[in-house]
Amino acid sequence: PLVRAAVLQIGTVNWELSTIIDNGLDEKHGFRLEMQPYADNGATRVAVEGDEADMAVADWIWVARQRAAGKDYVYIPYSKAVGALLVPGDSTAQSLRDLAGGKVGIAGGPLDKSWLILRAYAQRLHEMDLEAETEQVFGAPPLIFKTGLSGELDGAINFWHFLAKMKAGGMRELVNVDTAAVELGLDPDLPLLGYYFKQSFLDAHPGLAQAFYDASREAKALLASEDAAWEALRPQMNAANDAEFEALRTDWLAGTPTPGSVDTASADAFLKVMNDLGGAELVGEATTLPEGLFVELE
Amino acid sequence: MGDPATVGAARAALADRVIRVNVIRKTFGASVVLDRVVFDINPGETVAILGPSGIGKSTLLRIVAGIDTAYEGEVERPAALAIVFQEPTLLPWRSALRNLTLVHPGLSDDDARAMLGKVGLGDKAGLFPRQLSLGQQRRLALARAFAGAPELLIMDEPFTSLDPATAEAMLSLTERLIAEVRPATLFVTHARSEADRLADRILELRGAPATLAPHLIRNGASS
Amino acid sequence: MGDPATVGAARAALADRVIRVNVIRKTFGASVVLDRVVFDINPGETVAILGPSGIGKSTLLRIVAGIDTAYEGEVERPAALAIVFQEPTLLPWRSALRNLTLVHPGLSDDDARAMLGKVGLGDKAGLFPRQLSLGQQRRLALARAFAGAPELLIMDEPFTSLDPATAEAMLSLTERLIAEVRPATLFVTHARSEADRLADRILELRGAPATLAPHLIRNGASS
Amino acid sequence: MTDKRTVTALSLFGLLLLWFAAAALTADPQILPSPAALVQPFLREAASGELPYHLSQTLIRVAWAFCLAMALGIALGLLMGRSERVDRWLDPWLVVFLNLPALVLIVLCYLWIGLNEVAAIVAVTLNKVPNVATVVREGARALDPQLDAMARVYRMGRLTRLVHVTLPQLAPFIAASARSGVAVIWKIVLVVEFLGRSSGVGFKIHMFFQLFDVAMVLVYALSFIAVMLAVEWAILQPWERRVRRWRTA
Amino acid sequence: MTDKRTVTALSLFGLLLLWFAAAALTADPQILPSPAALVQPFLREAASGELPYHLSQTLIRVAWAFCLAMALGIALGLLMGRSERVDRWLDPWLVVFLNLPALVLIVLCYLWIGLNEVAAIVAVTLNKVPNVATVVREGARALDPQLDAMARVYRMGRLTRLVHVTLPQLAPFIAASARSGVAVIWKIVLVVEFLGRSSGVGFKIHMFFQLFDVAMVLVYALSFIAVMLAVEWAILQPWERRVRRWRTA
Ligand SMILES: Nc1ncnc2c1ncn2[C@@H]1O[C@H](COP(=O)(O)OP(=O)(O)OP(=O)(O)O)[C@@H](O)[C@H]1O
Ligand SMILES: Nc1ncnc2c1ncn2[C@@H]1O[C@H](COP(=O)(O)OP(=O)(O)OP(=O)(O)O)[C@@H](O)[C@H]1O
Ligand SMILES: [Mg+2]
Ligand SMILES: [Mg+2]
């Protein structure tokens, strides 16, 4: 069958998907993958909803929310890469507490997962209301990237590939969201980002979910072991220099989740924390994990 | 313009109908302008309207022409009208020639040029109305009215802003046209001499609200 | 309007200067309209201009008033002008009263009303120009010109579109104004009788391109 | 008057019916929820203070940008429409700025001025000025030269001329650019807000769009539209009626 | 003629100088690259065929949406401006659609019609029609009743009246809405493209913005602007000069 993937033209998922296509991994697993590039996340979602594509990339909280609202979306894990909070290289801040009274730039908006986890973390560790004690500036990722580098912000939370570039540009990691998650008792191996399909599409093609997942794992394995695979991707990675290239590659590989199905128990725990922090605005009606969200994989 | 004989024949078949004007009241807001202005115009007859400035002459003509429909009463009029407004009312974005041919699609460019010649604008065919003097614009408006074969010709002070010689030329032209096409004609003038010369009958508006003067002044000279 | 004696005194000090009109050539594109139109107007003098329709009278007035500056030659004129255009040229979005007071900020509402009364528009102060008949609009334009104390008064066919009685009233009003304020006056008319009555001197435009007729017709009656 | 109101009410009611019908046809509340489904979320947002807060933020930005853009745009348009020389010099700039994508101007403003309120308002204003200028320039070109000559001969003051001779002639053009202006400005404010502000309707709409929550997107969008309808009826239309009185009298 | 061209060239040159200066002041090619730095990327994109392809895609969309929006908008505006009754009924709809965020209309169109070219063009058209209608309605309200009376008395044909009596009076309004219309349409096309098309200048601009490649953003934006300048000089201005001839003659 043909699987049409709606992706951001510059998304990091494309590195995996291109590798699948370039190495014939799709044919090998009995399907054909086609990438449809769009310029905006919203566009990829409209594409799936409008049946112009069969899958797109989202975090599972979002997919859970949609599923709870009645959409038959299901989720296949892709990456556990999460964000971090960066501070300027010359900042004296040593912990979140030192950001009090400062200005924090956040790329994903007030419901950004990294931001929510960090808020909970600050609460737990410092008994600090991060939202009340800092000024937040929500902006488009590139603007946060640029203003962060210019030193105008006291702290910045961005998507991971921008973080890699910002670190390469001299900014320093203050808190990693992974650390914060562990501190909060959450499972750091939970693959936050993944592919979502319509259940009806998967039902029409039995075995496709597993086949696609296998192709994805094989591509990851290939990228973990072979430099040549990365060289093939380099043109689309937009790395300004070798340092950025290396940072992107390392961080991308670090996001590889453990194989197999998502652990529903830890997902449920995670969702609870998100519900506490983000409320209905974030999770919608998905106050508990909707049935059948995660595809059974091996 | 058409051949006078043919036009006359067609007219006889088509429109030997009386034009009936029966304006019971015409008001603007609270002020009554016209009160019981009732008269007929026979086919081929020429009627002049006299009256002081601001009495309601133009208002009456607009009602007769069917432009103003907000009045009490009714008017029976033929369909083929021609009108000369008190102001030229030309299409400023079209040349003098086009101002004729657009309004009369049947008129050939040559006929239109001939018509312009008759009102003394033979060499102005290509100019825009703004490039004409006011008197020239008024003559263009006259030419526009004369270029059709109207059954009813309405003119609001057609010969002002013209020097005596030009005015005389326009008067004769009008006389010729009326003789040829024999439209029913209703026109406003302030010059008694014009009225005497052209009109079969003279009506006078008087008073406030304006009514037709009790004794209709008849022109002894004609008909 | 001001007290005539005071105005007269001020005028004597300020403006006993001759108005010099020296138009060597005025062309529109290829066509020459005016050719060597040269004359003076003395302070307090009234000059009438006659000439057939389309010869260039309005063009000449626009040059004298300083509206049209695209000509060869020069004109010496005072600053305090008043003009009556051939068309009323009012502000259609302002009432009759405001059309006077906006143009003459010094004029009180009462004076403006008095002025409207003089031209027979006493009860029309609140109407917009579109609500006036054309003759009423022309009188409003006259009132606007008379309401200042101009040193040079320019009028383009000021008394057309008026019935004989109203025209007569406007003529007398003009005579009174000229006698009071004593502006230099230049006006166009087609009626020889108006020229004879008002003007100290009559100029005639003739020919193509128009020139002043070789013998200036002088008005025997006055000065 | 009452009759007019009835028609307006009926007309809006018709729109509502159409929406009900479309929602019933779509039969997917995630794509197009029916109007009834919006009442609950609307009340919740209104009660929580979220909606009034973000709406007021947006309205302040729109009001600032509107006043600035109209003032600058009218001045520029008038200047360019009246002087062939100025027009010739500024026209290429006008075309360039008119067609510069909002995104580019907004991003540049944010980067130069900083991620703050001033940058947001400047960005919107710069986006809108060329628009107003374009429309008003056409109006200025159509000004009646006769009235102008009259005003000059009678030496009317500059201000009097502007207010009583020029602006009344420009009124239709100003009304047109004001009305379509508010709409364009608000659309740009939406972009400005989602690119770099932390409050405002645009910020919320974009957030809810990311969540694919069409109902909330509509709640915020329609709240602004309701305000615009109110402005239209309370300010714009009475003003227009007054200004247009001479035409219909 | 040559003189006019000189002024235009000088004026554009001035803009270029300003840009050089701004770039020098900014001193950060990532925020505002100097014009010189764009030549290389421009040539590369042009040679690779990317730029011509995406530009032509956008131009086709703009052209379609422009023609549709102008035709519908003029018709609607004329109708509403001339008939008080129609206006009273449609006015609330106009205000609603005028102020409906582009995002909402675009997403609804994509979801209803599908993620295809038709949806994109319909979305842009629907966004722009209210704008044109608003401007043209003001023009229709300002039509000269005397000319109308003349045309009716002389029983001029419908088409003749439209073409020779009505449209010449609307010309300034149509010119205004055409010019600012192309600009608005192209801005909406940008949004439409980044929300659901895989080609076009908007798609590329948004992509390069995500990459924070301002130079490429400018290359694409300016290419479109260059086309608009060409359209302005080759079509719009000569047309305007012809239509406006009677004013200046
Ligand atoms: N729209 C209007 N609103 C109020 N009054 C009006 C309106 N139109 C005309 N009038 C009044 O109606 C009267 C008659 O006007 P009309 O134009 O018919 O006069 P007229 O006889 O043609 O005068 P003239 O010889 O000066 O042209 C005038 O007193 C005028 O003020
Ligand atoms: N802009 C223009 N372009 C070309 N010719 C023009 C222009 N303006 C005026 N003319 C011509 O100049 C001549 C003089 O016009 P003007 O208006 O001065 O005449 P006039 O003597 O006032 O006539 P009237 O008594 O009819 O008002 C006319 O033949 C007219 O066609
Ligand atoms: Mg009249
Ligand atoms: Mg004249």
Side-chain angles (χ1 to χ4, degrees):
Chain A
L2 174 67
V3 177
R4 298 164 303 170
V7 294
L8 275 186
Q9 166 96 337
I10 49 145
T12 53
V13 194
N14 303 11
W15 304 349
E16 176 167 311
L17 296 181
S18 304
T19 307
I20 291 179
I21 294 173
D22 292 347
N23 294 287
L25 298 178
D26 50 348
E27 312 271 327
K28 179 178 161 197
H29 288 278
F31 65 95
R32 202 156 63 74
L33 183 63
E34 187 183 288
M35 285 159 66
Q36 289 178 357
Y38 291 97
D40 185 78
N41 250 324
T44 64
R45 280 148 206 205
V46 172
V48 173
E49 186 51 37
D51 282 328
E52 297 286 330
D54 305 309
M55 62 155 241
V57 176
D59 65 72
W60 65 261
I61 311 269
W62 183 86
V63 182
R65 179 194 169 109
Q66 303 302 320
R67 191 170 177 85
K71 295 248 182 277
D72 68 337
Y73 291 166
V74 293
Y75 178 89
I76 293 175
Y78 152 65
S79 165
K80 67 188 176 78
V82 282
L85 191 145
L86 301 190
V87 292
D90 55 2
S91 166
T92 55
Q94 293 305 321
S95 73
L96 285 180
R97 203 205 304 274
D98 301 330
L99 290 180
K103 205 168 170 184
V104 182
I106 302 159
L111 299 180
D112 182 72
K113 280 89 198 167
S114 301
W115 165 241
L116 290 173
I117 292 174
L118 287 177
R119 273 175 59 195
Y121 175 72
Q123 188 72 51
R124 173 84 52 94
L125 201 70
H126 309 296
E127 291 189 341
M128 170 190 188
D129 185 346
L130 201 57
E131 188 183 26
E133 292 186 36
T134 59
E135 183 196 339
Q136 296 101 48
V137 181
F138 303 110
L143 283 179
I144 297 297
F145 161 67
K146 194 66 200 173
T147 11
L149 282 181
S150 76
E152 204 180 299
L153 300 170
D154 299 299
I157 299 173
N158 211 331
F159 297 138
W160 77 263
H161 59 286
F162 272 116
L163 287 178
K165 287 186 172 190
M166 288 165 89
K167 276 188 275 188
M171 292 184 78
R172 160 170 78 82
E173 191 173 294
L174 184 67
V175 196
N176 193 297
V177 175
D178 245 353
T179 330
V182 172
E183 191 71 31
L184 290 169
L186 298 173
D187 178 2
D189 276 339
L190 209 56
L192 203 54
L193 271 184
Y195 304 102
Y196 72 95
F197 290 79
K198 282 189 173 167
Q199 181 77 58
S200 53
F201 178 73
L202 292 183
D203 288 348
H205 307 285
L208 178 62
Q210 185 64 47
F212 180 81
Y213 184 65
D214 290 344
S216 154
R217 298 293 320 178
E218 261 179 59
K220 284 196 172 79
L222 196 69
L223 285 168
S225 57
E226 287 193 31
D227 285 347
W230 282 104
E231 283 309 319
L233 294 177
R234 185 154 185 166
Q236 54 170 297
M237 283 173 67
N238 277 293
N241 47 44
D242 286 342
E244 270 188 31
F245 175 69
E246 280 309 321
L248 286 171
R249 170 172 148 159
T250 316
D251 286 1
W252 192 87
L253 287 174
T256 309
T258 44
S261 294
V262 181
D263 178 16
T264 39
S266 47
D268 205 29
F270 193 92
L271 187 63
K272 265 203 191 68
V273 174
M274 287 296 123
N275 190 14
D276 289 346
L277 290 165
E281 201 145 78
L282 174 60
V283 298
E285 294 156 49
T287 45
T288 57
L289 204 59
E291 203 60 39
L293 173 64
F294 299 115
V295 180
E296 287 300 323
L297 300 164
E298 54 205 43
Chain B
M1 296 288 300
D3 172 43
T6 346
V7 173
R11 185 60 32 90
L14 186 155
D16 271 341
R17 278 179 327 203
V18 176
I19 292 157
R20 286 184 203 285
V21 179
N22 179 16
V23 178
I24 300 173
R25 265 163 70 96
K26 165 69 195 175
T27 57
F28 286 112
S31 74
V32 184
V33 175
L34 298 176
D35 184 31
R36 273 177 216 291
V37 176
V38 181
F39 61 96
D40 294 350
I41 311 174
N42 294 317
E45 190 187 23
T46 300
V47 175
I49 295 182
L50 291 180
S53 170
I55 187 124
K57 304 181 294 300
S58 299
T59 306
L60 179 60
L61 291 196
R62 293 171 66 86
I63 290 174
V64 172
I67 295 167
D68 189 341
T69 53
Y71 65 97
E72 266 175 67
E74 76 270 311
V75 173
E76 278 172 41
R77 76 180 75 77
L81 294 190
I83 192 163
V84 178
F85 292 97
Q86 204 168 3
E87 282 177 314
T89 318
L90 304 163
L91 299 175
W93 37 82
R94 295 291 181 262
S95 68
L97 187 76
R98 297 282 281 152
N99 261 283
L100 293 191
T101 55
L102 282 174
V103 168
H104 303 291
L107 197 70
S108 74
D109 273 16
D110 285 344
D111 286 350
R113 266 176 227 282
M115 193 68 232
L116 285 177
K118 285 189 193 165
V119 295
L121 297 176
D123 54 340
K124 307 281 181 189
L127 292 189
F128 290 114
R130 279 209 188 166
Q131 296 176 291
L132 300 176
S133 80
L134 188 61
Q136 290 168 336
Q137 291 181 32
R138 302 189 64 86
R139 282 181 272 155
L140 181 54
L142 274 177
R144 181 175 61 187
F146 295 169
E151 291 173 53
L152 172 57
L153 173 62
I154 297 176
M155 302 191 285
D156 201 345
E157 295 192 52
F159 311 115
T160 51
S161 277
L162 298 175
D163 58 294
T166 314
E168 168 57 36
M170 292 303 110
L171 261 167
S172 334
L173 183 65
T174 310
E175 276 181 325
R176 265 210 311 285
L177 171 97
I178 291 179
E180 275 173 15
V181 186
R182 295 215 58 72
T185 307
L186 180 65
F187 77 105
V188 165
T189 182
H190 287 307
R192 184 61 196 257
S193 60
E194 283 172 14
D196 285 343
R197 180 154 160 204
L198 286 182
D200 299 314
R201 193 147 52 101
I202 298 176
L203 304 178
E204 194 178 345
L205 283 178
R206 267 200 206 150
T211 48
L212 287 182
H215 57 99
L216 301 186
I217 304 164
R218 287 193 176 271
N219 189 348
S222 82
S223 96
Chain C
M1 298 285 303
D3 171 44
T6 345
V7 173
R11 184 58 36 88
L14 187 152
D16 271 343
R17 277 180 327 204
V18 176
I19 291 154
R20 287 185 202 284
V21 178
N22 180 13
V23 178
I24 298 173
R25 264 162 70 95
K26 166 70 194 173
T27 56
F28 286 113
S31 75
V32 185
V33 175
L34 300 175
D35 184 30
R36 272 177 215 291
V37 177
V38 182
F39 61 96
D40 293 349
I41 311 174
N42 293 316
E45 191 185 23
T46 300
V47 176
I49 296 183
L50 292 181
S53 171
I55 187 124
K57 303 180 296 297
S58 299
T59 305
L60 178 62
L61 291 197
R62 294 171 65 86
I63 290 175
V64 173
I67 296 167
D68 189 340
T69 53
Y71 64 97
E72 265 176 68
E74 75 270 312
V75 173
E76 279 173 38
R77 75 180 75 78
L81 293 190
I83 191 161
V84 177
F85 291 97
Q86 204 167 3
E87 282 175 313
T89 318
L90 304 161
L91 299 175
W93 37 81
R94 295 291 181 259
S95 68
L97 187 76
R98 298 283 280 150
N99 260 283
L100 293 190
T101 56
L102 282 173
V103 168
H104 303 291
L107 197 70
S108 75
D109 272 16
D110 285 343
D111 286 351
R113 266 176 227 282
M115 192 69 233
L116 285 177
K118 285 189 195 165
V119 295
L121 296 176
D123 56 338
K124 307 281 182 191
L127 293 188
F128 290 113
R130 278 207 189 169
Q131 297 176 289
L132 300 176
S133 80
L134 188 61
Q136 291 168 336
Q137 292 181 33
R138 302 189 64 87
R139 283 180 272 153
L140 181 55
L142 273 177
R144 180 174 63 188
F146 294 171
E151 291 173 54
L152 172 57
L153 173 62
I154 296 176
M155 301 190 287
D156 200 344
E157 297 191 53
F159 312 115
T160 51
S161 278
L162 298 176
D163 57 292
T166 314
E168 168 54 38
M170 292 304 109
L171 261 166
S172 337
L173 183 67
T174 309
E175 276 181 326
R176 268 211 310 285
L177 172 97
I178 291 179
E180 276 173 15
V181 186
R182 296 215 56 72
T185 306
L186 180 66
F187 76 106
V188 165
T189 182
H190 287 309
R192 186 60 199 257
S193 59
E194 283 172 15
D196 285 342
R197 180 153 160 204
L198 287 181
D200 300 312
R201 194 146 50 102
I202 298 175
L203 305 178
E204 195 179 343
L205 282 178
R206 266 200 208 150
T211 48
L212 287 182
H215 56 100
L216 301 185
I217 305 163
R218 287 194 176 271
N219 188 350
S222 80
S223 93
Chain D
M1 214 42 211
T2 29
D3 178 46
K4 271 190 206 168
R5 293 224 181 110
T6 320
V7 169
T8 305
L10 277 180
S11 160
L12 279 178
F13 187 70
L15 197 57
L16 203 68
L17 275 189
L18 193 78
W19 181 5
F20 264 113
L25 276 178
T26 311
D28 182 345
Q30 277 219 289
I31 291 184
L32 185 66
S34 103
L38 297 192
V39 176
Q40 209 46 44
F42 170 78
L43 291 176
R44 202 176 53 231
E45 289 291 304
S48 77
E50 280 280 286
L51 180 64
Y53 169 70
H54 290 287
L55 193 57
S56 66
Q57 290 290 312
T58 295
L59 287 175
I60 291 172
R61 286 179 198 131
V62 168
W64 265 104
F66 178 76
C67 295
L68 285 172
M70 287 305 286
L72 289 175
I74 291 177
L76 195 64
L78 202 49
L79 207 66
M80 291 178 72
R82 303 214 64 167
S83 157
E84 178 98 31
R85 251 178 72 109
V86 175
D87 187 46
R88 219 173 289 154
W89 277 100
L90 291 186
D91 182 63
W93 293 47
L94 193 66
V95 176
V96 169
F97 278 94
L98 196 58
N99 289 297
L100 208 55
L103 185 74
V104 173
L105 263 180
I106 294 170
V107 169
L108 284 180
C109 279
Y110 274 143
L111 290 177
W112 277 346
I113 310 182
L115 271 177
N116 53 41
E117 207 59 51
V118 176
I121 290 170
V122 168
V124 182
T125 307
L126 283 184
N127 262 295
K128 179 62 192 163
V129 165
N131 236 294
V132 180
T134 314
V135 175
V136 172
R137 177 175 62 174
E138 294 299 332
R141 283 176 178 162
L143 288 175
D144 183 353
Q146 274 295 101
L147 285 181
D148 216 55
M150 186 279 287
R152 263 185 300 130
V153 169
Y154 280 107
R155 293 184 299 169
M156 287 173 74
R158 273 184 163 276
L159 191 66
T160 319
R161 254 157 91 172
L162 184 67
V163 174
H164 300 285
V165 183
T166 310
L167 288 185
Q169 293 183 72
L170 292 183
F173 294 89
I174 292 175
S177 64
R179 194 168 272 132
S180 82
V182 176
V184 171
I185 282 181
W186 130 256
K187 283 173 191 177
I188 304 172
V189 166
L190 289 187
V191 180
V192 167
E193 284 176 348
F194 95 68
L195 280 180
R197 294 279 69 205
S198 310
S199 63
V201 176
F203 169 73
K204 294 299 267 189
I205 285 186
H206 200 71
M207 196 187 85
F208 285 117
F209 175 59
Q210 293 290 342
L211 296 172
F212 226 80
D213 188 338
V214 179
M216 291 305 294
V217 168
L218 285 176
V219 163
Y220 273 89
L222 293 181
S223 302
F224 183 87
I225 291 179
V227 174
M228 281 302 103
L229 278 171
V231 169
E232 180 82 10
W233 294 327
I235 304 177
L236 231 58
Q237 287 190 1
W239 172 78
E240 269 205 313
R241 256 197 301 280
R242 226 171 55 85
V243 164
R244 233 179 20 230
R245 212 161 28 114
W246 64 274
R247 287 189 196 279
T248 49
Chain E
M1 217 41 213
T2 29
D3 178 44
K4 273 191 204 169
R5 295 224 178 109
T6 320
V7 169
T8 305
L10 277 179
S11 161
L12 280 178
F13 187 70
L15 197 60
L16 203 68
L17 275 188
L18 193 79
W19 179 5
F20 265 112
L25 276 178
T26 311
D28 181 347
Q30 270 214 295
I31 293 184
L32 186 66
S34 105
L38 296 192
V39 176
Q40 208 48 43
F42 169 78
L43 291 177
R44 205 177 47 234
E45 288 291 302
S48 78
E50 280 280 288
L51 180 64
Y53 170 69
H54 290 287
L55 193 57
S56 66
Q57 290 289 313
T58 295
L59 287 176
I60 289 171
R61 287 179 197 131
V62 168
W64 265 103
F66 177 77
C67 296
L68 285 173
M70 288 304 288
L72 289 175
I74 290 176
L76 194 65
L78 202 51
L79 208 65
M80 291 179 72
R82 304 214 65 169
S83 158
E84 180 97 32
R85 252 178 72 108
V86 175
D87 186 46
R88 218 174 288 154
W89 277 101
L90 291 187
D91 182 63
W93 293 47
L94 193 66
V95 176
V96 169
F97 278 94
L98 196 57
N99 288 296
L100 208 56
L103 184 74
V104 174
L105 263 181
I106 293 169
V107 170
L108 284 180
C109 278
Y110 274 145
L111 289 179
W112 278 345
I113 310 182
L115 266 182
N116 51 41
E117 209 63 332
V118 175
I121 289 170
V122 169
V124 182
T125 307
L126 282 183
N127 262 295
K128 178 63 191 164
V129 164
N131 236 296
V132 179
T134 315
V135 175
V136 172
R137 178 175 64 174
E138 294 298 333
R141 282 175 178 162
L143 287 176
D144 183 352
Q146 273 296 100
L147 284 181
D148 215 54
M150 185 280 287
R152 262 185 302 128
V153 169
Y154 279 106
R155 294 186 297 168
M156 287 172 75
R158 274 184 162 279
L159 191 66
T160 319
R161 253 155 94 173
L162 183 68
V163 174
H164 299 287
V165 183
T166 310
L167 288 184
Q169 293 183 73
L170 292 183
F173 294 88
I174 293 175
S177 64
R179 196 169 270 131
S180 80
V182 176
V184 171
I185 283 181
W186 129 255
K187 283 173 192 177
I188 304 172
V189 166
L190 290 187
V191 180
V192 166
E193 285 176 347
F194 92 67
L195 277 182
R197 299 275 70 206
S198 307
S199 63
V201 176
F203 169 75
K204 293 299 267 190
I205 285 186
H206 202 73
M207 189 190 93
F208 284 117
F209 171 61
Q210 297 289 341
L211 294 172
F212 213 76
D213 189 339
V214 177
M216 289 309 292
V217 168
L218 287 176
V219 163
Y220 273 89
L222 294 181
S223 302
F224 184 85
I225 292 179
V227 174
M228 281 303 104
L229 279 171
V231 168
E232 179 82 11
W233 294 326
I235 303 178
L236 232 57
Q237 288 191 0
W239 174 77
E240 268 205 312
R241 256 197 301 279
R242 227 170 54 87
V243 165
R244 236 180 19 234
R245 211 159 31 114
W246 63 274
R247 288 190 195 277
T248 48

